[in-house]
């Protein structure tokens, strides 16, 4: 069906042309009365005209006199939106195929017309950067004014600090002129049934990552069949049909999203190239988040919900050594930003601070990087860490295009780094212009849930990005040969291996000890850190700028309201863990182990044997109920970490550490470390501490522990240099080059502990969530663009606008739709259990209090969430008490594959029945009927006991707590392998519950049914405490014989454990010796115990004891 009839109109679509040329220039232009471009005849409809064109043999000489070829002329007209050529029979096949691809050029032309009409003449306008009128210049000095002094007894303050402080004071008390808060939108089911249905179809297409073409095809499919037979769908009038674009337009009009439409601004770079930067209104983007109740339910618990200010005063919080440093409000910068940008003498409910986080990082959708953009993501900083992980809490306020696109190979390799950096900040000026404009107006109004008009004062809390991107933002040299590799400090490369380091982070107590602002800048100088004073001096001293590796540029971020007045953007761009550790320290440690074995291709046989064990280690780690483990890569081996994600590199490092603890791994690797006089056990300890150090800083910690962690970090860095040395060498044909440990990420480790005191735990500024957001912002919508470099960023911004319209519109009508189409969030794979959840009640106490007694005796199935993988088993006994088993799987597939149930499951049940009946002289029944299950969810954790899953057996491990019985106290915990789950289906069975946990006799049991879910457990030889594992990281243990298997209620399972078998040889794993590994969310406890051990080595007696039961 013709594209012109998608809206259901019988005539041609009326449009306002863009700079319509004369008919002489475009002879094929179609007017309202359709005209044949060959003979000139006029028709009343396009259908009549198309039928005539197919048979018309006349030649329009005026068309062929054009300097363009016929097909090219038609294409040009299509782009301008003047002619419809989808049914042109004389068009070349290549051009016809091009136009029929979605989205077509005509569709893009229509979109462009609608966009220009909506935005008047603002879109596509080029920015004039030559005019400095009303533009803030942080380095401006008035000739008639003396240098500014904050106090009379201080030296001259840096001009950047002075100008910024004046600017902050000016706009802190400013109120937006003539602006009032808009009414909060409340949906009252005002949409018609048809409109609701079309909006729901938008959500369905969005859920399955399809766009306009699929929407229109579904709509056409429904309409066609409803016309053929009204019993299929109720037929509707053709004029009532809606296309994708019409539905989007209707939704954004009804729900008020028009102001979120991106505005495209052209920017001319230094070499004459023009790039298009789509910019979204900052206030409207933030209002769309504030009006979302799902997001606003995640306000940080430490804030007053009515004022968005911390509940605890600054002094009380900072002086409390036991205070937990967790979310963003626990860092001292949060309160400083509020004092800097929010007025004090006002109603705190009606005037609130509005700190935001900004993430800037490149993302690409092709292999060559041409289609790469850098979305500028913003989120209100009041949202807690859990809400920060969701894409709904973030909005794009701009999309930075690929600034190197169109340069060519010579242009990319030319020495124009400074000019490129200036271009970057020139583009960022445009990208952040909406934020700056909103700030200079005095903020924006928002209507809260109670109908109050609240004035919000926006400012930037901090920025998130990788090291290369942050260096561009700051203006730091972005190469490894710079004198200073770290933007934060003035340490030279030769200082990176000195401990304690020459630089150290400034704390709140340090700042409070200063009397004047001049003293604060002197403090930063003494601490070896870069401050606004240094960033002011680089403009007048090129040698000093080179000495601290900074470019004296007009920084676009200086125009933003920042929360750090003394360091500016340098103090607000932390080193985040994803890039610091994932593609940094862990990767270098793997390279270090590889180099110890042999440089480059030396000792390739040993490296090959180690890499051959990679699939086995990966398989053992992945087949566990404890799923809080970084995934290992599915390709290469341990030592090839190129093209891997940060999580995969972390997973490979853990896998290598596990291998080095096994018998075969130690046999392979220990000789190479001994040859270099490196203690193998000390090296293993260092690797464990690196993993624990990362998790320690990602988790909430007490203030006093973070203070201690600084010196512990220095100790760890020295251990890394000692146990995994990396030699600095030049690259040659035979060996790869290396800078050793003189790298930026290694030095940045020493600054993290006190940085957490400033910004909150490292999870607050971890970019993992933002990297995932790139899937929604870039990766998925890229397939619905033309994939043309010059238009890519603007089309992505348009797709993101459509996504927000669809998601927010659907939220309003969700309860009126046919079903819930919200994104399905699976049950979390990482169920976080504390140490007490494993060890509760496991102390060797003489008495058990009432609460513990209730827990020990309660074996009901209230904690069993679900079971699956049903198999009906019948155990038949003969006169000699020999058993024969028959079974039937509920799954047809398992019956076809002839999968047998676990042998230990039914043999243990049969043995238990024989033993209990013989002990009580009760006749053994001829048959026992049970329902077994291959998996069960206990306390939110999924456990598998499957004889065949993903190509082999899968039996999970767990910590089991023995219940209290009639004869035993109970409460002990041990490690166990789950061999199966089952329930009795017969009446009068002598079960564990009836005989061992109750005082029922055989006569009473004969008429009772036991519906308890039981687990068949293969337990270890000794008891286990999770608290001890947190001091050793690994624990080796031995399993009992298979004849010693227990039947316990499934609720006795306390939590999952990560267990791997001992590797005895290549392809051979032990069936008796195993070791348990500390899960990732508990690794921070290992580093915390290390802090105690550093203070008093005798306090942790099991520091190097691995509980070796082998």
């Amino acid at each position: 069906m013709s594209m012109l009839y998608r809206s259901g109109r019988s005539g041609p679509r009326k449009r306002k042309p863009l700079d319509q040329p004369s008919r002489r220039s475009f002879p094929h232009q179609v007017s309202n009365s359709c005209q044949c471009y060959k003979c000139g005849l006029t028709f009343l409809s396009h259908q009549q005209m198309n039928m005539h064109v197919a048979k018309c043999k006349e030649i329009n000489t005026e068309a062929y006199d054009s300097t363009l070829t016929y097909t090219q002329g038609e294409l040009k007209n299509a782009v301008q939106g003047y002619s419809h050529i989808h049914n042109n029979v004389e068009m070349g096949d290549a051009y016809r195929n091009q136009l029929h691809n979605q989205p077509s050029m005509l569709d893009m032309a229509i979109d462009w017309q609608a966009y220009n009409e909506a935005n008047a003449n603002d879109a596509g306008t080029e920015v004039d950067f030559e005019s400095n009128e009303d533009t803030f210049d942080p380095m401006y000095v008035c000739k008639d004014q003396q240098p500014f002094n904050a106090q009379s007894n201080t030296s001259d303050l840096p001009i950047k600090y002075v100008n910024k402080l004046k600017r902050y004071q000016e706009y802190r008390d400013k109120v937006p002129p003539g602006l009032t808060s808009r009414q909060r939108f409340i949906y009252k089911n005002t949409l018609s049934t048809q409109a609701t249905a079309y909006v729901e179809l938008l959500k369905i297409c969005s859920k399955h990552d399809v766009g306009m073409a699929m929407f229109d095809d579904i709509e056409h499919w429904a309409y066609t069949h409803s016309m053929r037979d009204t019993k299929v769908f109720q037929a509707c009038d053709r004029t009532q049909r809606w296309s994708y674009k019409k539905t989007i337009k209707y939704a954004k009009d009804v729900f008020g999203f028009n102001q979120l439409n991106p505005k495209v601004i052209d920017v001319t770079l230094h070499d004459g190239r023009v790039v298009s930067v789509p910019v979204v209104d900052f206030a409207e983007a933030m209002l769309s988040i504030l009006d979302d109740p799902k997001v606003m339910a995640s306000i940080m618990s430490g804030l007053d919900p009515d004022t968005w200010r911390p509940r605890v005063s600054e002094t009380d919080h900072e002086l409390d050594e036991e205070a937990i440093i967790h979310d963003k409000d626990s860092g001292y910068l949060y309160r400083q930003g509020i004092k800097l940008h929010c007025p004090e003498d006002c109603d705190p409910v009606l005037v609130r601070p509005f700190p935001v986080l900004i993430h800037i990082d490149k993302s690409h959708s092709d292999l060559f990087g041409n289609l790469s953009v850098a979305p500028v993501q913003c989120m209100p900083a009041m949202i807690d860490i859990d809400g920060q992980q969701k894409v709904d809490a973030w909005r794009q306020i701009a999309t930075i295009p690929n600034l190197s696109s169109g340069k060519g190979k010579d242009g990319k390799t030319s020495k124009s780094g400074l000019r490129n950096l200036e271009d970057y900040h020139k583009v960022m000026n445009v990208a952040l212009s909406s934020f700056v404009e909103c700030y200079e107006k005095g903020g924006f109004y928002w209507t809260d849930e109670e109908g109050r008009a609240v004035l919000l004062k926006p400012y930037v809390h901090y920025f998130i990005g990788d090291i290369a991107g942050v260096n561009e933002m700051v203006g730091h040299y972005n190469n490894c040969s710079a004198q200073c590799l770290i933007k934060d400090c003035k340490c030279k490369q030769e200082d990176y291996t000195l401990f304690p380091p020459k630089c150290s982070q400034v704390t709140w107590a340090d700042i409070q000890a200063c009397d004047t602002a001049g003293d604060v800048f002197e403090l930063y100088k003494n601490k070896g850190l870069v401050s606004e004073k240094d960033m002011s001096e680089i403009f007048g001293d090129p040698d000093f700028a080179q000495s601290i590796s900074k470019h004296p540029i007009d920084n676009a971020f200086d125009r933003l309201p920042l929360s750090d007045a003394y360091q500016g953007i340098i103090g607000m761009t932390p080193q985040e863990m994803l890039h610091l550790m994932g593609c940094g320290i862990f990767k270098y440690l793997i390279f270090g182990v590889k180099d110890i074995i042999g440089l480059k291709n030396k000792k390739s046989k040993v490296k090959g044997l180690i890499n051959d064990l990679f699939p086995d280690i990966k398989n053992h780690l992945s087949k566990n109920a404890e799923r809080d483990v970084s995934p290992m890569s599915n390709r290469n081996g341990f030592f090839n970490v190129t093209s891997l994600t940060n999580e995969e590199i972390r997973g490979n490092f853990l896998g290598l550490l596990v291998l080095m603890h096994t018998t075969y791994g130690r046999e392979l690797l220990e000789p190479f470390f001994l040859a270099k006089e490196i203690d193998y056990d000390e090296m293993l300890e260092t690797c464990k501490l690196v993993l624990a150090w990362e998790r320690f800083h990602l988790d909430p910690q007490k203030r006093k522990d973070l203070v201690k962690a600084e010196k512990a970090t220095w100790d760890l860095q020295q251990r890394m240099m000692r146990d995994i040395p990396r030699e600095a060498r030049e690259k040659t044909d035979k060996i790869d080059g290396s800078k050793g440990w003189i790298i930026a990420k290694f030095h940045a480790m020493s600054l993290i502990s006190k940085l957490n005191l400033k910004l909150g735990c490292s999870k607050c500024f971890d970019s993992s969530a933002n990297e995932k957001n790139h899937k929604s912002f870039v990766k998925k919508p890229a397939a619905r663009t033309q994939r043309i470099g010059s238009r890519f960023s603007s089309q992505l911004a348009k797709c993101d606008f459509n996504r927000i319209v669809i998601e927010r519109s659907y939220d309003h009508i969700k309860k009126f739709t046919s079903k819930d189409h919200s994104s399905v969030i699976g049950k979390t794979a990482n169920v976080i259990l504390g140490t007490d959840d494993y060890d509760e009640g496991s102390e060797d106490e003489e008495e058990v209090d009432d609460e513990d007694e209730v827990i020990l005796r309660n074996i009901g199935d209230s904690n069993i969430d679900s079971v699956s993988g049903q198999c009906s088993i019948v155990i038949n006994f003969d006169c000699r008490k020999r058993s024969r088993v028959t079974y039937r799987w509920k799954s047809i597939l398992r019956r076809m594959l002839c999968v047998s149930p676990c042998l230990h499951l039914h043999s243990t049940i049969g043995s238990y029945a024989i033993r209990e009946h013989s002990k009580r002289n009760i006749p053994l029944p001829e048959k026992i009927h049970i329902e077994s299950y291959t998996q069960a969810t206990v306390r939110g954790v999924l456990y598998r006991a499957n004889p065949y899953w993903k190509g082999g057996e899968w039996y999970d491990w767990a910590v089991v707590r023995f219940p209290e019985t009639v004869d035993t106290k109970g409460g002990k915990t041990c490690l166990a392998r789950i061999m199966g789950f089952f329930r009795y289906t017969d009446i009068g069975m002598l079960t564990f519950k009836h005989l061992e946990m109750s005082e029922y006799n055989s006569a009473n049991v004969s008429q009772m049914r036991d519906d308890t879910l039981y687990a068949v457990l293969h337990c270890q030889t000794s008891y286990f405490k999770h608290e001890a594992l947190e001091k050793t990281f690994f624990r080796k243990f031995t399993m009992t014989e298979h004849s010693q298997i227990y039947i316990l209620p499934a609720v006795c399972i306390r939590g999952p454990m990560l267990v791997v078998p001992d590797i005895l040889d290549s392809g051979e794993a032990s069936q008796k010796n195993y070791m348990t590994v500390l899960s990732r969310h508990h690794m921070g406890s290992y580093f915390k115990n290390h802090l105690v051990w550093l203070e008093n080595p005798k306090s942790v007696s099991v520091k190097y004891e691995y509980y070796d039961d082998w």
Side-chain angles (χ1 to χ4, degrees):
M1 185 169 59
S2 173
M3 295 285 290
L4 291 177
Y5 297 121
R6 286 188 177 180
S7 63
R9 300 181 182 180
S10 59
R13 183 179 302 192
K14 295 182 180 180
R15 313 183 190 93
K16 179 183 177 181
L18 295 173
D19 300 326
Q20 179 175 346
S22 64
R23 188 174 295 275
R24 180 183 295 271
S25 302
F26 295 94
H28 312 313
Q29 180 179 349
V30 180
S31 62
N32 288 339
S33 58
C34 305
Q35 186 179 34
C36 175
Y37 61 85
K38 294 183 178 181
C39 62
L41 291 179
T42 302
F43 299 88
L44 297 178
S45 68
H46 281 277
Q47 287 181 331
Q48 296 176 0
M49 187 268 289
N50 289 337
M51 295 173 62
H52 165 78
V53 168
K55 300 179 181 179
C56 182
K57 298 181 180 179
E58 298 293 331
I59 297 177
N60 189 340
T61 57
E62 185 179 6
Y64 284 88
D65 289 341
S66 174
T67 57
L68 300 175
T69 63
Y70 170 74
T71 308
Q72 290 172 339
E74 283 293 300
L75 286 173
K76 184 172 183 180
N77 292 341
V79 175
Q80 297 292 335
Y82 299 120
S83 63
H84 178 69
I85 59 176
H86 280 71
N87 297 323
N88 191 334
V89 296
E90 294 194 13
M91 189 196 318
D93 289 340
Y95 291 105
R96 183 184 295 111
N97 293 336
Q98 176 185 351
L99 291 175
H100 280 290
N101 287 332
Q102 294 292 337
S104 68
M105 298 176 72
L106 179 61
D107 295 336
M108 294 300 299
I110 296 173
D111 283 348
W112 185 254
Q113 283 182 319
Y115 176 78
N116 272 357
E117 291 173 3
N119 293 275
N121 296 322
D122 293 335
T125 57
E126 188 171 350
V127 180
D128 180 16
F129 286 94
E130 301 301 326
S131 175
N132 292 326
E133 184 179 358
D134 296 331
T135 300
F136 172 68
D137 181 7
M139 293 302 297
Y140 174 75
V141 180
C142 181
K143 296 181 179 179
D144 300 332
Q145 181 180 353
Q146 296 296 325
F148 176 79
N149 262 343
Q151 287 86 10
S152 59
N153 59 337
T154 62
S155 59
D156 293 345
L157 296 175
I159 189 62
K160 264 195 174 185
Y161 170 79
V162 172
N163 288 339
K164 285 185 178 181
L165 206 60
K166 288 181 178 179
R167 175 178 169 86
Y168 297 161
Q169 292 173 354
E170 175 185 356
Y171 293 115
R172 180 176 59 187
D173 301 320
K174 187 174 181 179
V175 178
L179 295 179
T180 58
S181 70
R182 67 181 187 186
Q183 293 296 321
R184 189 182 185 91
F185 179 82
I186 301 176
Y187 180 65
K188 299 181 179 180
N189 193 19
T190 54
L191 265 66
S192 65
T193 304
Q194 180 188 12
T196 302
Y198 275 110
V199 174
E200 182 181 2
L201 182 56
L202 283 177
K203 175 61 179 178
I204 294 173
C205 292
S206 176
K207 180 176 71 172
H208 296 287
D209 298 325
V210 294
M212 178 176 63
M214 181 62 73
F215 180 99
D216 293 339
D217 285 345
I218 293 174
E219 194 276 340
H220 177 69
W221 166 77
Y223 173 78
T224 302
H225 287 285
S226 64
M227 294 298 294
R228 291 176 181 174
D229 187 353
T230 56
K231 295 180 180 179
V232 180
F233 302 101
Q234 185 177 359
C236 63
D237 186 77
R238 186 174 187 176
T239 59
Q240 297 178 355
R241 297 176 61 188
W242 288 14
S243 66
Y244 179 90
K245 295 176 182 176
K246 182 177 179 180
T247 309
I248 285 285
K249 184 178 184 303
Y250 179 83
K252 70 181 182 182
D253 291 340
V254 170
F255 296 106
F257 296 119
N258 278 307
Q259 299 301 321
L260 277 175
N261 211 341
K263 174 182 177 181
V264 179
I265 303 176
D266 294 336
V267 182
T268 303
L269 306 182
H270 76 276
D271 54 3
R273 291 179 297 115
V274 179
V275 295
S276 299
V277 183
V279 180
V280 179
D281 186 275
F282 171 78
E284 291 295 330
M286 295 299 101
L287 286 172
S288 68
I289 298 177
L290 296 173
D291 291 339
D292 189 344
K294 301 192 304 297
V295 177
M296 295 305 291
S298 300
I299 295 293
M300 291 186 294
S301 59
L303 300 182
D304 185 337
D306 292 328
T307 64
W308 297 349
R309 290 170 171 84
R311 301 174 188 267
V312 183
S313 67
E314 181 179 27
T315 304
D316 293 343
H317 176 69
E318 294 296 333
L319 296 180
D320 184 7
E321 291 187 353
E322 300 292 329
I324 301 298
I325 306 301
H326 182 207
D327 228 319
K328 296 172 283 293
D329 61 318
S330 60
Y332 71 81
L333 188 63
Y334 196 89
R335 290 169 172 81
Q336 286 192 356
I338 294 177
K339 291 192 296 184
L340 204 58
H341 297 286
C342 202
E344 297 179 358
D345 51 345
C346 64
D347 187 342
V349 176
L350 300 181
V351 180
R352 305 184 192 178
F354 191 74
V356 299
L357 308 183
I358 296 182
H359 175 270
I360 305 175
D361 192 14
K362 287 185 179 179
S363 178
H364 62 84
S365 62
D366 63 341
L367 296 176
F368 307 103
N370 185 49
L371 298 179
S372 63
V373 295
V376 181
Q377 305 176 35
C378 280
M379 187 201 80
M382 310 89 62
I383 307 300
D384 62 20
I385 292 179
D386 293 332
Q388 189 174 335
Q389 311 306 310
K390 302 174 183 177
V391 67
D392 293 339
W394 294 86
R395 290 289 186 272
Q396 287 190 82
I397 63 170
T399 306
I400 308 300
N402 182 8
L403 302 184
S404 63
S405 178
K407 275 189 171 184
K409 185 176 180 180
D410 296 333
K412 293 180 181 179
T413 58
S414 63
K415 296 182 179 180
S416 56
L418 181 57
R419 301 300 300 274
N420 294 337
L421 186 61
E422 291 173 347
D423 284 343
Y424 172 80
H425 283 270
K426 191 175 183 180
V427 171
M428 287 305 304
N429 263 324
V430 175
L432 302 172
S433 58
S434 178
F435 192 143
V436 175
E437 180 182 357
C438 176
Y439 170 69
E440 292 180 345
K441 287 181 179 178
F444 63 97
Y445 284 100
W446 169 64
T447 304
D448 65 4
E449 294 180 349
E450 298 183 10
R452 297 172 296 201
V454 179
L455 175 60
L456 303 180
K457 308 293 286 187
Y459 65 92
V460 182
H461 184 44
Y462 56 74
F463 299 86
I464 305 175
D466 61 356
I467 291 181
V470 164
N471 286 345
E472 283 186 321
M473 296 165 61
V474 173
H476 189 77
Y477 289 6
N478 223 348
N479 58 71
C480 60
S481 60
Q483 294 187 42
C484 299
L485 298 181
I486 297 292
K487 63 171 181 60
D488 304 83
C489 65
K490 304 175 185 177
C491 297
K492 309 301 180 183
Q493 292 195 24
E494 57 271 16
D495 301 330
Y496 288 2
T497 55
L498 300 179
F499 296 98
K502 290 186 175 181
C503 64
S504 178
Q505 283 285 358
V506 172
T507 64
W508 178 85
D510 295 334
I511 297 177
Q512 295 301 310
C514 298
D515 296 328
T516 64
D519 294 340
V520 175
F521 286 109
E522 189 66 23
L523 170 67
Y524 277 97
K525 179 180 179 181
N526 296 334
K527 292 281 187 178
L529 300 177
V530 178
S531 66
E532 289 284 58
K533 183 175 183 179
D534 302 304
M535 297 304 291
S536 299
E537 293 176 356
I538 61 175
F539 287 89
D541 191 347
D543 294 334
F544 177 70
Q546 186 176 2
S547 67
I548 62 173
S549 303
K550 298 293 189 296
H551 291 290
I553 58 172
D554 181 14
N555 197 305
F557 298 93
D558 284 337
R559 294 173 177 80
L560 292 175
L562 307 178
S563 57
D564 193 335
Y566 301 110
Q567 278 193 292
I569 188 175
I570 291 181
M572 301 165 53
T573 46
Q575 311 286 352
E576 48 89 28
M577 284 295 186
L578 183 70
H579 295 90
L580 176 66
M581 302 299 294
C583 61
I585 301 302
F586 292 134
K587 180 174 67 174
Y588 299 132
L589 288 173
I590 292 175
F591 288 160
V593 174
K594 179 183 177 182
D595 290 345
I596 289 174
I597 298 173
L599 296 177
K600 206 168 183 180
N601 295 326
K602 294 182 179 180
K603 303 295 181 181
S604 57
K605 182 178 179 180
V606 177
K607 295 176 183 176
L609 291 174
I610 295 173
N611 284 329
D612 289 342
L613 297 171
F614 180 85
D616 297 332
I617 298 295
K618 181 180 184 299
N619 182 59
H620 294 315
L621 284 174
S622 60
K623 288 190 174 182
N624 274 279
E626 178 55 74
R627 294 172 180 85
D628 191 13
V629 183
S630 296
M632 298 174 66
S633 66
N634 292 319
R635 53 201 180 277
N636 307 326
F638 287 110
F639 299 128
N640 190 355
V641 294
T642 57
S643 303
L644 299 187
T645 65
N646 300 313
E647 282 290 302
E648 288 175 336
I649 295 175
R650 182 186 287 107
N652 282 13
F653 179 72
L654 176 63
L656 180 60
L657 182 58
V658 170
L659 175 63
M660 291 191 292
H661 276 81
T662 63
T663 300
Y664 188 52
R666 179 180 285 267
E667 180 184 331
L668 287 175
L669 288 166
E670 189 172 18
F672 296 100
F673 285 90
L674 294 178
K676 293 184 176 293
E677 299 181 353
I678 298 174
D679 188 293
Y680 190 76
D681 290 327
E682 287 287 336
M683 182 273 302
L684 295 179
E685 177 71 12
T686 299
C687 293
K688 292 186 292 186
L689 284 172
V690 173
L691 285 167
W693 180 90
E694 180 202 31
R695 191 66 203 187
F696 173 85
H697 289 91
L698 288 171
D699 290 339
Q701 303 296 341
K702 294 182 179 180
R703 182 187 306 278
K704 63 180 182 180
D705 290 335
L706 285 172
V707 174
K708 298 175 186 176
E710 184 179 40
K711 292 184 179 180
T713 302
W714 302 342
D715 175 74
L716 175 59
Q717 290 177 291
Q718 295 177 75
R719 294 182 66 107
M720 292 166 60
M721 296 171 57
R722 181 196 67 191
D723 298 331
I724 306 182
R726 299 185 70 239
E727 179 185 357
R729 57 181 180 270
E730 297 293 334
K731 182 178 180 180
T732 64
D733 296 336
K734 296 183 178 180
I735 58 174
D736 297 328
S738 172
K739 293 183 69 65
W741 285 114
I742 305 177
I743 52 178
K745 295 177 181 179
F746 180 74
H747 186 59
M749 288 179 63
S750 62
L751 302 174
I752 294 296
S753 298
K754 286 188 176 178
L755 188 64
N756 287 5
L757 298 175
K758 180 179 182 180
L759 302 177
C761 71
S762 295
K763 188 69 175 177
C764 296
F765 46 88
D766 184 62
S767 64
S768 300
N770 303 99
E771 296 289 347
K772 293 177 183 177
N773 291 348
H774 284 164
K775 294 181 180 179
S776 300
F777 293 158
V778 180
K779 310 288 187 183
K780 292 179 180 178
R784 298 194 289 274
T785 66
Q786 290 180 307
R787 302 184 71 83
I788 300 174
S790 58
R791 305 177 184 176
F792 188 61
S793 60
S794 57
Q795 291 178 5
L796 278 181
K798 184 69 175 179
C799 290
D800 186 63
F801 167 68
N802 290 343
R803 180 187 65 83
I804 296 175
V805 171
I806 293 171
E807 296 295 331
R808 295 292 292 118
S809 300
Y810 176 75
D811 287 342
H812 291 300
I813 67 164
K814 180 165 59 177
K815 61 182 179 181
F816 305 106
T817 56
S818 60
K819 59 179 288 190
D820 188 0
H821 300 285
S822 301
S823 300
V824 178
I825 301 176
K827 189 179 292 295
T828 176
N830 305 333
V831 178
I832 307 301
L833 297 177
T835 305
D836 294 339
D837 295 323
Y838 289 95
D839 297 339
E840 180 184 11
S842 61
E843 299 292 340
D844 298 329
E845 299 173 349
E846 293 296 332
E847 297 181 0
V848 180
D849 57 24
D850 295 338
E851 182 180 0
D852 283 342
E853 185 175 358
V854 172
I855 295 174
L856 291 173
R857 288 186 176 273
N858 181 17
I859 62 168
D861 289 353
S862 59
N863 291 316
I864 308 299
D865 300 329
S866 63
V867 292
S868 60
Q870 182 177 347
C871 178
S872 300
I873 300 178
V874 180
I875 305 175
N876 301 275
F877 296 100
D878 59 14
C879 59
R880 296 183 179 181
K881 297 183 180 180
R882 293 177 301 186
S883 62
R884 181 174 56 87
V885 178
T886 60
Y887 59 88
R888 179 178 177 81
W889 291 98
K890 185 177 180 179
S891 169
I892 298 177
L893 179 60
R894 287 184 175 269
R895 295 203 296 264
M896 294 174 59
L897 294 175
C898 300
V899 178
S900 301
C902 177
L903 173 64
H904 304 294
L905 174 68
H906 51 74
S907 64
T908 303
I909 297 172
S911 300
Y912 179 82
I914 294 172
R915 183 176 68 251
E916 295 302 326
H917 282 79
S918 299
K919 184 188 303 184
R920 292 166 176 78
N921 294 322
I922 300 175
L924 187 68
E926 295 182 359
K927 297 180 180 181
I928 296 179
H929 297 81
I930 64 171
E931 292 290 342
S932 70
Y933 307 95
T934 58
Q935 63 184 38
T937 304
V938 183
R939 294 186 176 89
V941 182
L942 176 64
Y943 298 92
R944 288 191 175 95
N946 204 320
Y948 187 82
W949 181 257
K950 292 189 176 181
E953 296 180 345
W954 186 321
Y955 298 103
D956 280 333
W957 295 81
V959 173
V960 176
R961 184 183 178 194
F962 288 97
E964 180 182 3
T965 65
V966 175
D967 300 325
T968 61
K969 175 185 173 182
K972 294 288 186 178
T973 57
C974 72
L975 292 173
R977 196 175 192 183
I978 305 172
M979 311 308 296
F981 300 96
F982 74 95
R983 282 192 176 102
Y984 291 100
T985 58
D986 295 328
I987 297 177
M989 295 301 301
L990 301 182
T991 66
F992 183 90
K993 175 182 178 181
H994 289 163
L995 298 180
E996 300 195 35
M997 299 194 66
S998 307
E999 297 179 355
Y1000 296 132
N1001 54 39
S1002 58
N1004 296 334
V1005 172
S1006 61
Q1007 301 299 323
M1008 300 182 64
R1009 181 192 299 274
D1010 186 0
D1011 294 328
T1012 304
L1013 180 69
Y1014 288 99
V1016 178
L1017 304 168
H1018 184 199
C1019 299
Q1020 69 171 120
T1021 56
S1022 59
Y1023 292 117
F1024 168 83
K1025 288 187 65 176
H1026 197 277
E1027 183 181 359
L1029 180 64
E1030 294 175 0
K1031 299 177 182 179
T1032 60
F1033 205 98
F1034 286 86
R1035 176 175 177 177
K1036 301 176 181 180
F1037 63 94
T1038 304
M1039 296 298 293
T1040 61
E1041 298 295 333
H1042 281 101
S1043 59
Q1044 301 178 9
I1045 299 181
Y1046 300 88
I1047 296 178
L1048 295 175
V1051 293
C1052 293
I1053 298 175
R1054 303 301 300 174
M1057 291 302 297
L1058 183 62
V1059 178
V1060 295
D1062 183 28
I1063 305 297
L1064 303 177
D1065 203 344
S1066 180
E1068 181 183 356
S1070 174
Q1071 299 297 319
K1072 182 179 179 181
N1073 296 331
Y1074 296 85
M1075 63 180 170
T1076 179
V1077 187
L1078 195 63
S1079 59
R1080 181 162 61 173
H1081 55 271
H1082 286 289
M1083 288 181 182
S1085 299
Y1086 185 77
F1087 190 80
K1088 193 181 298 183
N1089 286 320
H1090 180 69
L1091 297 179
V1092 178
W1093 182 83
L1094 287 177
E1095 287 188 337
N1096 183 10
K1098 296 182 180 180
S1099 61
V1100 184
S1101 59
V1102 292
K1103 182 63 180 176
Y1104 296 105
E1105 185 180 351
Y1106 296 133
Y1107 284 87
D1108 192 348
D1109 297 338
W1110 298 354

